[in-house]
Amino acid sequence: MTTPRPRIPAPEPVERACRCAWDEASRATLDPDEQTALAALGRWLDEPDLPYAILHGSRASRRAVVAAHLVRAQHEGVACGAQLVPIGPDLRLERDILALLVSRLVADYAGGRPRRLRTQLAEEYLRVGPTEDEPSLLLAITDVEEAEPLASWPALFSAVGPRVKVLATVEGDDATARAWIPRLGFDPARTRLHPLPARPWPAPGDPAALLAATGAMPARLLSLLSVAYGRLHEDEITSALGAPIDGALAGIEPLVTAVDGTYAFRSNAARRAVEERLDRGARDASIRRLLSLPPDGYPCAYTRAHLEQATAPLQAFAALVTEEHLARWMARPEGYLGFVADLERVRRRAVETLPSGHEAATLAVRAALVEASMNTCADREDHDAPVGVEPMTRETPIADERRQARALTALGAAMAAGPARAEVLAWAADAARRILDVEFRGDVLLSLAEVVGGEAGYTFAREALATFRTAENAEARAHQMLVATGGLPPEEGAAVAREALASLRDGAGDPGDVDCFSKHFPRAVAEALWPDAEALPGPARARVLAAIAGVLGDPDRVRDAFAAVERHIEPYDLNEHWALARLVPFLDAPEARRAAALAPGFGERAAELLEGLIPRLRAQGDPAEDLIEALSESSRIRALARSLPFATEPGPLWARIDAAIWKAEPLDRYGLLFDVGPWLGAAGESDALLAWIAPLGDAHHQIALGFLARHDPAHASELTRRALHLALRLGADEPDRLIELLPLARHFPPEGAAAAFGLLLDALAGDFRSAALAGDGVSLVKLAPLIAALAGDEGLAGAAREVVEVAAWFP
């Protein structure tokens, strides 16, 4: 019975390869041993507790033929949805197998990123499986040993749904088949092994006999086909051989199959038999002929695979992360999918070779940025287009100048002073000046002022101020001017601050809002603003005086500000609460007691004030036990912990805290650890804090270790190493765990730093371009400390250069 060929919405080379494999395998007649194996596999399909099977046998055994007949039997009987995934001489690379799997499983595929495709396959189609109103699924994957190493296989098949069956065929004996079980992600306890008896090579198809009898030109053709990663077009063969193909085919027709003007071995077994007979010189010569073909043909699709096979130096892979290589790929049927597959493999190879120097880090960053940019540019307009064909649109610029400037500023800030740093910061300034939004442009210029410092910093701050002055809204303009004061020379900053305050006072906004910007004020600015603040009306006066007094810390100013706050206190007013909180660290005992009396008027926020007032009182000799007893247990613990730095004998106080925390449940102790960690960590008590959460799992410990490493300088290196080990063990699906540790990257051990870099670049590359530079998730801004730890200033400068150059790819 003839079965219609399955429709394969995949790139044309993949469709052609699969069509050829189906034609060759499904029309072959089975011998008795093969029929017996087919029957055994049919019984396996009825065993619900065995989702996995491996059919194995010697090289000449026709494992793929049996698998194809199993698929055909299911099609004819409509027992389940059976799909053949033939890995062969012309379908061996991960990108092609991914495209084929997608075409088999995702009927309504509408485009997307390769990583997303893998996730969809694993989570939505294999782990969940068909719904009850759909037939069960059988995937028959043939000759898995032919595929390049696929790290995604275990992720795909380690958990399959109750109505999913996966069959893999493998060359080798029972021990070889068992070794493949973990490599495929199969569960050993739920895998059935099926041996297929050996059979002789079919006459006249014995490769050894044909090679011995053939002439020089046919032998050269077989050599070419045996090392090729895909079907070769006739014109490619003619060019590589320097002769027409007709004569080269003489006598070797049983080994070679022709489809649509392309040629490849008829079987995997024959290809390997010929390849193994090649000496090193013949192999290398054949590969050189293939890679010397026109670059938009065979070399575009398969150079990367040959470089990997030859363990080429990293510099050779850089040619695959260029605009020229992108343009060649986008003209091919595989398009976006093929190019991004190259980017992924180049990036991972670069990470593996990080100890070789800063060039590896630079190439890894370039590949990640280009992939993230491709993800943004990929725009499927035709939902019927083949898998992997991704039209690109450049209507919306993705080289966002603000994020470019932020990334370049962060990279430059991590570098030591010198010409390289100056160049990076000049790139940042150029990007900043191209930002259209006034506020964003000024903010980035102020960041540059802070990084550069000195007279050059003042120049950037003045430029930011000039930018802010162009804001149309008077209130926004005044607020931005207040922000700029921190980067200006003291006299200029004071004049600008007074001008902004006068604008707010004269109707541009609430003058009390100055308190929101006081963190930017140098002491000279705060001093200059004091007389103007004293002249403000009512509540605004109290808010601004409190903010300025918090900057100055002068006792007389603090008392005056506190008196103003007392006069204008309003219950439950968040502004007044904030003003009072600003003064708490500077209050003398009498004022602190009066502030404690005011605290209940702020309702639920009273505890926050008391937690700050108690340490202040204890520092001045008042034990404040009445206030402590009035607090809840958790607030009391926080107040006591904050009092530790002021205790003349911290031992009893620490014992009191420890005893109180042990009364709580482990999860509650975990929450309290973050409340008291800054003070107890600074006191070197990290081990005691970790003992509180001993019953909890690795995820809780990892977060706690990273937190304590920030506050316990004496043990920061050890705590960071432990946190990083757990973060890496918890997997690549949670990059936030690693992001939280990046400020501590200087403490990472070399191997841990490289592993973290690889995982985070994977996440960065899978994100959109805007987030890859600066923003939520993984970004170069956050990766700067890790790049510095791995590759120093040269790596940071290289990463910055890639920001500029890759942005020019995608204008």
Side-chain angles (χ1 to χ4, degrees):
M1 178 177 177
T2 301
T3 304
R5 191 180 294 119
R7 177 179 178 272
I8 307 165
E12 181 266 338
V14 175
E15 180 178 357
R16 182 178 57 214
C18 190
R19 172 160 45 93
C20 177
W22 176 262
D23 289 346
E24 288 287 332
S26 63
R27 66 176 178 234
T29 302
L30 300 184
D31 64 26
D33 287 335
E34 292 166 340
Q35 290 176 347
T36 300
L38 178 63
L41 289 172
R43 292 190 294 274
W44 162 70
L45 291 175
D46 294 327
E47 297 182 84
D49 297 330
L50 295 173
Y52 308 110
I54 294 181
L55 177 66
H56 64 93
S58 65
R59 174 167 295 175
S61 64
R62 299 191 304 177
R63 303 172 302 280
V65 170
V66 175
H69 277 258
L70 181 68
V71 169
R72 188 174 73 175
Q74 300 310 305
H75 286 172
E76 293 170 347
V78 199
C80 71
Q83 304 288 357
L84 184 69
V85 183
I87 301 171
D90 48 355
L91 191 61
R92 301 165 62 191
L93 301 191
E94 179 177 8
R95 64 168 188 256
D96 303 323
I97 297 166
L98 175 63
L100 180 56
L101 282 168
V102 171
S103 73
R104 290 298 201 242
L105 297 176
V106 189
D108 57 349
Y109 173 65
R113 304 187 292 278
R115 191 166 332 188
R116 176 58 185 154
L117 297 185
R118 286 195 289 267
T119 302
Q120 276 188 298
L121 293 178
E123 297 180 357
E124 299 178 26
Y125 294 93
L126 294 173
R127 296 184 188 182
V128 175
T131 60
E132 289 300 324
D133 58 345
E134 296 175 327
S136 298
L137 172 66
L138 165 65
L139 274 183
I141 308 172
T142 63
D143 296 318
V144 294
E145 68 279 350
E146 279 285 290
E148 66 178 344
L150 300 176
S152 58
W153 275 15
L156 284 173
F157 301 126
S158 59
V160 295
R163 303 178 65 235
V164 175
K165 294 276 189 173
V166 184
L167 166 68
T169 76
V170 173
E171 177 188 313
D173 58 14
D174 190 80
T176 302
R178 291 189 185 281
W180 268 97
I181 291 176
R183 293 175 65 183
L184 291 167
F186 291 2
D187 180 353
R190 299 195 298 155
T191 301
R192 173 65 56 81
L193 298 185
H194 295 272
L196 191 59
R199 68 192 303 274
W201 285 102
D206 185 341
L210 287 172
L211 277 173
T214 194
M217 194 58 70
R220 286 179 65 187
L221 174 57
L222 289 178
S223 174
L224 276 179
L225 296 178
S226 71
V227 298
Y229 276 97
R231 303 188 70 85
L232 295 178
H233 288 271
E234 182 175 340
D235 58 347
E236 291 177 322
I237 293 173
T238 300
S239 177
L241 293 179
I245 194 172
D246 295 342
L249 283 172
I252 60 171
E253 294 89 343
L255 298 182
V256 179
T257 178
V259 178
D260 300 340
T262 65
Y263 295 83
F265 273 93
R266 191 175 298 276
S267 72
N268 295 325
R271 186 199 70 76
R272 287 197 297 278
V274 170
E275 184 184 28
E276 288 173 359
R277 285 170 170 78
L278 295 178
D279 60 33
R280 179 66 178 268
R283 170 194 288 275
D284 291 347
S286 294
I287 293 174
R288 281 196 301 272
R289 292 190 188 100
L290 291 173
L291 296 183
S292 65
L293 293 169
D296 57 346
Y298 182 91
C300 174
Y302 299 110
T303 291
R304 189 263 305 162
H306 284 293
L307 291 176
E308 287 182 338
Q309 186 182 51
T311 319
L314 183 63
Q315 292 82 351
F317 290 84
L320 304 179
V321 195
T322 61
E323 284 191 272
E324 293 76 15
H325 193 56
L326 167 60
R328 287 192 285 266
W329 265 119
M330 295 310 292
R332 293 179 59 86
E334 304 95 323
Y336 167 83
L337 187 67
F339 182 60
V340 171
D342 279 356
L343 292 177
E344 287 187 343
R345 299 294 284 243
V346 171
R347 184 180 72 253
R348 291 172 189 172
R349 185 172 186 85
V351 170
E352 290 169 2
T353 59
L354 274 173
S356 66
H358 68 275
E359 294 88 353
T362 299
L363 182 57
V365 168
R366 185 198 313 170
L369 288 179
V370 174
E371 183 180 340
S373 299
M374 289 293 296
N375 290 336
T376 302
C377 277
D379 180 18
R380 176 173 293 280
E381 297 171 352
D382 179 1
H383 286 198
D384 294 327
V387 170
V389 178
E390 304 278 359
M392 289 175 59
T393 174
R394 298 191 179 188
E395 293 178 2
T396 303
I398 61 168
D400 181 285
E401 289 83 359
R402 180 192 178 200
R403 292 181 173 88
Q404 281 186 63
R406 288 179 60 195
L408 291 167
T409 302
L411 294 167
M415 298 172 67
R421 183 179 194 252
E423 183 178 32
V424 171
L425 294 177
W427 293 335
D430 177 68
R433 291 175 182 129
R434 289 184 278 114
I435 299 171
L436 297 179
D437 184 279
V438 169
E439 182 177 355
F440 291 160
R441 190 190 326 147
D443 284 344
V444 174
L445 288 168
L446 278 180
S447 297
L448 280 167
E450 184 179 354
V451 171
V452 172
E455 287 300 324
Y458 290 153
T459 300
F460 277 123
R462 292 184 184 113
E463 187 176 352
L465 176 63
T467 300
F468 288 146
R469 286 187 182 279
T470 64
E472 294 182 5
N473 181 277
E475 183 178 20
R477 184 166 61 247
H479 290 170
Q480 291 160 354
M481 290 168 64
L482 290 168
V483 171
T485 58
L488 295 168
E491 300 80 6
E492 292 179 41
V496 170
R498 295 187 68 190
E499 179 187 350
L501 177 57
S503 174
L504 293 171
R505 184 193 60 212
D506 295 342
D510 182 354
D513 287 346
V514 171
D515 68 344
C516 299
F517 305 96
S518 60
K519 64 181 179 181
H520 302 286
F521 296 163
R523 185 175 185 86
V525 171
E527 288 277 9
L529 276 183
W530 185 267
D532 298 76
E534 284 193 309
L536 291 175
R541 177 175 183 271
R543 290 170 59 192
V544 179
L545 287 178
I548 296 174
V551 174
L552 298 174
D554 178 76
D556 291 335
R557 300 281 176 77
V558 169
R559 279 192 291 272
D560 289 347
F562 180 70
V565 170
E566 275 189 307
R567 280 197 297 273
H568 299 287
I569 204 76
E570 291 288 341
Y572 305 105
D573 187 311
L574 293 183
N575 286 327
E576 299 303 331
H577 178 274
W578 171 244
L580 189 55
R582 295 292 298 271
L583 295 172
V584 162
F586 308 101
L587 294 176
D588 288 334
E591 286 80 14
R593 274 291 174 177
R594 280 154 51 197
L598 296 172
F602 294 104
E604 294 179 355
R605 293 183 173 267
E608 296 176 29
L609 281 172
L610 293 175
E611 288 173 23
L613 285 165
I614 288 168
R616 182 64 182 161
L617 286 166
R618 292 177 71 92
Q620 298 178 82
D622 183 342
E625 287 295 338
D626 57 324
L627 302 180
I628 292 173
E629 292 304 318
L631 292 174
S632 67
E633 189 70 11
S634 57
S635 289
R636 185 181 308 153
I637 291 170
R638 285 192 290 268
L640 292 173
R642 294 174 66 174
S643 302
L644 271 172
F646 310 110
T648 53
E649 294 185 17
L653 187 55
W654 160 239
R656 185 175 174 183
I657 296 167
D658 190 49
I661 287 183
W662 277 109
K663 295 176 183 177
E665 294 296 319
L667 274 176
D668 294 328
R669 296 201 293 266
Y670 175 73
L672 288 167
L673 182 148
F674 297 96
D675 292 329
V676 304
W679 295 277
L680 297 179
E685 297 289 356
S686 292
D687 284 343
L689 272 65
L690 292 169
W692 294 342
I693 62 169
L696 301 180
D698 286 347
H700 293 91
H701 277 266
Q702 184 266 314
I703 295 172
L705 285 162
F707 175 79
L708 292 172
R710 292 172 175 78
H711 300 285
D712 186 349
H715 304 97
S717 293
E718 176 197 350
L719 293 167
T720 299
R721 284 195 295 270
R722 291 166 62 186
L724 179 63
H725 173 75
L726 290 177
L728 291 171
R729 200 173 80 191
L730 290 169
D733 294 334
E734 299 183 67
D736 285 352
R737 294 186 179 277
L738 289 168
I739 292 174
E740 291 297 319
L741 296 176
L742 289 181
L744 302 162
R746 64 189 182 280
H747 298 302
F748 287 6
E751 66 281 1
F757 193 53
L759 289 175
L760 289 170
L761 281 184
D762 271 350
L764 183 151
D767 208 334
F768 291 107
R769 175 68 159 75
S770 58
L773 289 175
D776 296 335
V778 187
S779 67
L780 276 188
V781 168
K782 295 174 183 174
L783 281 174
L786 182 54
I787 297 173
L790 282 166
D793 282 359
E794 290 179 316
L796 290 164
R801 190 171 296 106
E802 297 306 334
V803 171
V804 176
E805 293 184 358
V806 173
W809 287 31
F810 302 92

